[in-house]
Amino acid sequence: MKLDFALILTALTLLCGAFWAVDKLVLAKRRGPDGKPNETVDFFASLFPVLAIVLCLRSFVYEPFRIPSSSMMPTLLIGDFILVNKFAYGVRLPVTNTVLFDTGAPERGDVVVFRYPGRNPPVATDPPVGTDYIKRVIGLPGDVIGVRQNRLTVNGRPIAYGEEAIYVGAGAPAAIEMTGATRVSEALAPGKEHAILDKWSRQMAFGDGEYVVPEGHYFVLGDNRVASDDGRFWGFVPEANLAGRADVIWLNCANWACMDSFDWRRMGEVIR
């Protein structure tokens, strides 16, 4: 069962807020200025301001997110800790994700975090619906995206690809396993150039076909085109599933201990 951190944080904030309100509005009057507060009530009430600030920052400003897989290599590596801009695509309520007011929409080439919409029919290896995913926006509502041997067309226009090089992975085992893949530059739009991992051979192309993006949905791919579970296999991301835009890497640790795997060179790197 997937734990919903936003739901847990919201519930704790409301609970502590209730203790805070009872203490301030009811118990404080009963005990008077020199009375001793109830320790249990005082403990939970004291947590309320901290939890409220964390909830607001996480819901409306920036949310931290850790990259768990190799699907966005070479742009994002396993162990990258990133900040997700929560107001880029509309200010949303926590838990329900209801839009309070619009602030923009994804652009082609944005790296976005979203809730996994599920596959139809599902397969045994699927993660729970609602699991946080991160991919790059390729197709906007109404677009026709062509995929052939890991090369893209958008509405019939071929995407420009640049110089190829052999990729050498480092750090996590999954990254090292990608050594020998081809690193290629891909320009989805002017100023939107980024690198992808393409293939070891043309026989390793996946998901060839044509994808017509429905209104209110987006077509997304991982930058690691030979090792990404993305829109080629489970379809489109509804607008309501968007969580935010990945903006910056603030830390990189290939393991949670972060003792022997810290890479300071990635700190502050803007995600393109």
Side-chain angles (χ1 to χ4, degrees):
M1 179 180 178
K2 175 181 178 290
L3 292 177
D4 190 327
F5 182 75
L7 178 60
I8 294 172
L9 179 60
T10 301
L12 285 175
T13 304
L14 293 175
L15 175 64
C16 293
F19 277 100
W20 179 88
V22 169
D23 184 58
K24 296 296 183 184
L25 302 178
V26 179
L27 299 182
K29 295 179 180 179
R30 291 181 181 178
R31 65 176 176 260
D34 299 323
K36 185 178 180 180
N38 180 283
E39 290 185 1
T40 301
V41 173
D42 187 58
F43 171 75
F44 284 103
S46 67
L47 293 178
F48 172 63
V50 177
L51 291 175
I53 291 172
V54 172
L55 178 64
C56 289
L57 289 175
R58 187 182 184 277
S59 301
F60 307 124
V61 186
Y62 279 99
E63 177 182 356
F65 182 83
R66 183 178 186 270
I67 302 300
S69 74
S70 61
S71 70
M72 281 298 293
M73 291 174 57
T75 305
L76 297 172
L77 307 179
I78 295 173
D80 279 344
F81 288 79
I82 66 174
L83 290 178
V84 177
N85 184 329
K86 298 303 292 284
F87 54 87
Y89 307 138
V91 175
R92 300 167 185 261
L93 289 174
V95 182
T96 64
N97 216 35
T98 303
V99 177
L100 293 177
F101 54 88
D102 270 332
T103 57
E107 298 179 1
R108 198 183 327 279
D110 284 0
V111 177
V112 299
V113 171
F114 57 93
R115 298 193 306 272
Y116 174 59
R119 172 183 349 236
N120 190 18
V123 298
T125 56
D126 280 349
V129 171
T131 297
D132 287 333
Y133 263 36
I134 183 166
K135 307 292 178 187
R136 189 178 298 276
V137 173
I138 304 297
L140 305 178
D143 280 346
V144 179
I145 305 299
V147 180
R148 181 169 177 78
Q149 293 187 328
N150 295 324
R151 295 293 189 264
L152 305 177
T153 61
V154 177
N155 300 322
R157 176 182 62 86
I159 294 299
Y161 290 88
E163 184 176 350
E164 299 188 358
I166 299 301
Y167 181 75
V168 178
I176 296 173
E177 289 174 3
M178 294 305 301
T179 296
T182 306
R183 187 182 188 276
V184 185
S185 66
E186 180 179 77
L188 293 174
K192 291 284 188 178
E193 184 174 308
H194 59 275
I196 65 170
L197 293 185
D198 184 7
K199 61 192 181 303
W200 284 277
S201 71
R202 283 295 179 185
Q203 284 69 46
M204 295 198 69
F206 302 108
D208 283 6
E210 188 173 87
Y211 302 86
V212 181
V213 186
E215 289 300 320
H217 292 71
Y218 296 88
F219 181 70
V220 298
L221 296 177
D223 287 350
N224 188 349
R225 298 290 158 81
V226 297
S228 174
D229 182 31
D230 51 38
R232 294 170 292 180
F233 310 109
W234 43 254
F236 307 99
V237 178
E239 188 275 337
N241 286 42
L242 295 174
R245 184 185 66 215
D247 276 1
V248 66
I249 300 167
W250 62 274
L251 182 65
N252 174 272
C253 292
N255 58 56
W256 286 105
C258 208
M259 298 298 292
D260 57 355
S261 59
F262 177 72
D263 187 352
W264 62 269
R265 294 169 298 180
R266 297 183 66 77
M267 292 180 62
E269 185 174 320
V270 176
I271 299 169
R272 304 185 185 281

